[in-house]
């Protein structure tokens, strides 16, 4: 016999263990907020743009073949920018306490499709240092390209700057808290159904009918404790102790 669960029963399970769902959600949101605000180190991002232009005159400037060649060169330049040949000089110039390999993990070179403009994106725990790394990398690359590839076709379009109120790109506390709330709800709901599935005790007459398939013919209710009568002595009916020479009833 297949068992079916109605929506009413599902909502009953959720309502029964609502406290557990709320508790897990609050704990998840609190932990996420504490970690985001007080544990994780803020990371800032800075960008600079370079233009790859191989043209030497106006005729070549608008040549489709020249533009296509420049676009193809960007992929090669992306690898060169993050190579030790460039980053070793960046580390030396800025006197950074890290290796070129470690620095390459902070740098990402991107370019739009069929575009001659490449963007150097740097992430660092210091907004000022991120801008310095981005600008120095672009400058060193521009100086080293003629030596490495015997071409002089790179120009810096825009330099990275540091705003007065630079805000970190991560962590994002509000986003992390929202994600933690969603995860907390999912865990709480899942745990509620798991506990309900593992609970094989009989609590109501309906449980007996559903599980055993037997009708309930009688119910023994709980009898509340009957309060004991309090012994209150009344002054007017209190027993009187007879004095010497007196008899009861006199």
């Amino acid at each position: 016999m297949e068992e079916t669960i109605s929506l009413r029963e599902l909502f009953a399970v959720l309502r029964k263990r609502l406290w557990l769902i709320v508790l897990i959600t609050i704990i998840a949101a609190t932990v996420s907020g504490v970690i985001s605000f007080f544990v994780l180190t803020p990371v800032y991002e800075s960008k600079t743009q370079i233009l790859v232009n191989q043209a030497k005159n106006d005729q070549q400037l608008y040549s489709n073949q020249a533009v296509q060649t420049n676009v193809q060169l960007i992929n090669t330049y992306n690898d060169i920018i993050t190579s030790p040949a460039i980053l070793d000089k960046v580390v030396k110039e800025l006197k950074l306490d890290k290796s070129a390999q470690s620095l390459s993990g902070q740098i990402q070179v991107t370019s739009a499709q069929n575009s001659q403009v490449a963007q150097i994106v740097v992430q660092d725990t210091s907004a000022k240092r991120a801008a310095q790394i981005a600008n120095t990398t672009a400058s060193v690359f521009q100086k080293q390209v003629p030596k490495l590839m015997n071409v002089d076709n790179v120009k810096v379009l825009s330099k990275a700057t540091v705003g007065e109120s630079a805000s970190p790109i991560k962590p994002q506390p509000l986003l992390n808290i929202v994600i933690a709330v969603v995860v907390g709800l999912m865990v709480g709901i899942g745990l509620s159904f798991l506990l309900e599935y593992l609970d094989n005790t009989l609590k109501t007459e309906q449980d007996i009918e559903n599980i055993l398939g037997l009708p309930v013919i009688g119910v023994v209710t709980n009898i509340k404790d009957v309060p004991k009568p309090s012994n209150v002595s009344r002054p007017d009916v209190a027993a009187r102790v007879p004095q010497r020479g007196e008899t009861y009833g006199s």
Side-chain angles (χ1 to χ4, degrees):
M1 180 178 180
E2 296 182 357
E3 296 184 358
T4 59
I5 301 177
S6 63
L7 290 177
R8 180 177 298 178
E9 293 176 339
L10 293 178
F11 284 114
V13 173
L14 296 179
R15 184 172 62 252
K16 176 182 177 181
R17 304 190 184 276
L18 181 62
W19 65 271
L20 179 63
I21 299 174
V22 174
L23 179 62
I24 293 177
T25 303
I26 293 176
I27 292 176
T30 303
V31 171
S32 176
V34 170
I35 293 177
S36 298
F37 282 105
F38 303 106
V39 177
L40 297 179
T41 303
V43 176
Y44 299 87
E45 186 177 83
S46 192
K47 305 176 183 178
T48 183
Q49 291 180 321
I50 59 175
L51 172 65
V52 177
N53 185 10
Q54 200 178 27
K56 298 299 181 181
N57 52 51
D58 293 340
Q59 183 178 0
Q60 292 179 343
L61 179 63
Y62 299 102
S63 171
N64 291 332
Q65 183 178 0
V67 172
Q68 188 64 29
T69 302
N70 294 334
V71 171
Q72 294 175 356
L73 281 174
I74 288 181
N75 296 327
T76 303
Y77 288 166
N78 292 350
D79 295 331
I80 295 177
I81 290 175
T82 56
S83 67
I86 302 298
L87 297 186
D88 280 337
K89 293 180 173 56
V90 175
V91 171
K92 183 178 180 180
E93 185 171 336
L94 294 178
K95 298 179 180 179
L96 300 176
D97 187 17
K98 60 182 63 180
S99 63
Q101 183 178 3
S102 176
L103 182 59
S104 65
Q106 301 178 230
I107 300 176
Q108 182 181 7
V109 184
T110 61
S111 59
Q113 186 177 5
N114 297 328
S115 174
Q116 295 178 246
V117 178
Q119 187 169 244
I120 301 176
V121 183
V122 179
Q123 294 183 358
D124 195 87
T125 55
S126 170
K128 181 179 180 180
R129 187 166 57 242
Q132 290 176 342
I133 294 174
N135 291 329
T136 305
T137 301
S139 177
V140 171
F141 175 68
Q142 185 182 22
K143 295 176 182 177
Q144 294 299 317
V145 161
K147 301 177 182 178
L148 296 175
M149 300 188 65
N150 197 25
V151 291
D152 186 10
N153 60 346
V154 175
K155 296 181 180 179
V156 178
L157 290 181
S158 63
K159 293 185 177 181
T161 58
V162 181
E164 295 181 357
S165 57
S167 57
I169 61 168
K170 58 182 180 182
Q172 299 179 356
L174 295 181
L175 178 60
N176 293 344
I177 292 175
V178 171
I179 295 176
V181 169
V182 174
V183 173
L185 287 173
M186 295 174 61
V187 173
I189 293 174
L191 185 59
S192 298
F193 285 116
L194 177 62
L195 293 176
E196 187 67 21
Y197 175 77
L198 296 177
D199 187 5
N200 56 3
T201 58
L202 302 177
K203 297 182 176 62
T204 63
E205 300 88 349
Q206 189 67 30
D207 293 340
I208 297 176
E209 294 181 352
N210 295 336
I211 297 176
L212 301 180
L214 300 175
V216 178
I217 59 177
V219 178
V220 179
T221 60
N222 294 328
I223 301 177
K224 297 182 179 180
D225 295 334
V226 179
K228 296 180 180 180
S230 58
N231 296 326
V232 180
S233 60
R234 297 177 58 185
D236 55 340
V237 297
R240 181 172 178 272
V241 179
Q243 302 293 327
R244 186 175 181 182
E246 294 181 349
T247 60
Y248 287 100
S250 60

